[in-house]
Amino acid sequence: DAGITQSPRYKITETGRQVTLMCHQTWSHSYMFWYRQDLGHGLRLIYYSAAADITDKGEVPDGYVVSRSKTENFPLTLESATRSQTSVYFCASSESRVLSSGRRNEQFFGPGTRLTVL
Amino acid sequence: GQQVMQIPQYQHVQEGEDFTTYCNSSTTLSNIQWYKQRPGGHPVFLIQLVKSGEVKKQKRLTFQFGEAKKNSSLHITATQTTDVGTYFCESGGYNKLIFGAGTRLAVHP
């Protein structure tokens, strides 16, 4: 029972290079999310996806691209990495069952990818 | 835009002391979720609150949602070293999820 996994766990790259972070979940959750975590900012939503082939921007989408061709995978690509994108990246997933007013399903987070851009 | 302010940023307690973290918003929140993140780990869901004045307990943890649904608190009674980590609040719908900056709890034996 793998749950939600991320790869690689650690990555060092150089400014200007393209980097793809992978996220895979085995629960068939409809929703998937990408966050970045920086000291003093908590978690900030980059992109999310409500289902395969449906993606939308979060709070900080600039410099990132996502795709979701299959329900279980949600890769995040930095097309031209910058130093400001050095961060810890978390992927999360959630079911999409409709619940009572104001209530929604919990998010399950992956272990994270620590990315350093030199 | 909507913001969730979380205080304090850091708290250092002796084992056995109580701990409280607060989240405050200038606008009404539809729900609030609390997460715990151990050092080097990932956020783990603790609880969700949706009702005005709601209070929920999990062993030594007490979660409260304000009457006006603009603030929430997490209180830990008699902290243990296993409580070490960062506690985050989060609110919103799927298209606008906002996390507080977190409160880092250090517990000294």
Side-chain angles (χ1 to χ4, degrees), chain B residues 7-19:
Chain B
I7 55 170
Q9 189 174 2
Y10 177 74
Q11 182 105 43
H12 165 188
V13 300
Q14 289 294 126
E15 190 173 20
E17 292 181 339
D18 292 357
F19 159 77

Side-chain angles (χ1 to χ4, degrees), chain A residues 37 48 95 102-104 110, chain B residues 31 33 37 48 50 90 92 95:
Chain A
Q37 184 174 41
Y48 71 99
E95 293 183 22
R103 201 171 291 279
R104 60 171 170 81
Chain B
N31 53 56
Q33 285 65 235
Q37 184 176 20
Q48 180 181 79
V50 296
E90 175 261 304
N95 62 340

Side-chain angles (χ1 to χ4, degrees), chain B residues 48-66:
Chain B
Q48 180 181 79
L49 305 171
V50 296
K51 297 178 182 176
S52 169
E54 189 169 14
V55 178
K56 288 189 176 180
K57 294 190 176 185
Q58 290 178 352
K59 297 183 180 177
R60 295 177 295 103
L61 277 60
T62 301
F63 304 85
Q64 189 163 7
F65 204 4

Side-chain angles (χ1 to χ4, degrees), chain B residues 4-109:
Chain B
V4 176
M5 307 303 293
Q6 190 170 358
I7 55 170
Q9 189 174 2
Y10 177 74
Q11 182 105 43
H12 165 188
V13 300
Q14 289 294 126
E15 190 173 20
E17 292 181 339
D18 292 357
F19 159 77
T20 305
T21 174
Y22 302 89
C23 278
N24 300 300
S25 171
S26 58
T27 59
T28 301
L29 304 172
S30 57
N31 53 56
I32 194 146
Q33 285 65 235
W34 285 94
Y35 293 79
K36 176 184 179 181
Q37 184 176 20
R38 293 182 188 276
H42 59 276
V44 175
F45 174 83
L46 293 175
I47 209 155
Q48 180 181 79
L49 305 171
V50 296
K51 297 178 182 176
S52 169
E54 189 169 14
V55 178
K56 288 189 176 180
K57 294 190 176 185
Q58 290 178 352
K59 297 183 180 177
R60 295 177 295 103
L61 277 60
T62 301
F63 304 85
Q64 189 163 7
F65 204 4
E67 292 289 342
K69 299 180 73 172
K70 289 186 177 181
N71 56 74
S72 181
S73 64
L74 158 58
H75 179 82
I76 301 178
T77 304
T79 55
Q80 300 176 358
T81 54
T82 54
D83 295 325
V84 163
T86 300
Y87 293 84
F88 294 96
C89 61
E90 175 261 304
S91 186
Y94 288 130
N95 62 340
K96 195 166 180 64
L97 295 165
I98 304 294
F99 275 83
T103 296
R104 189 155 66 97
L105 173 63
V107 179
H108 290 260

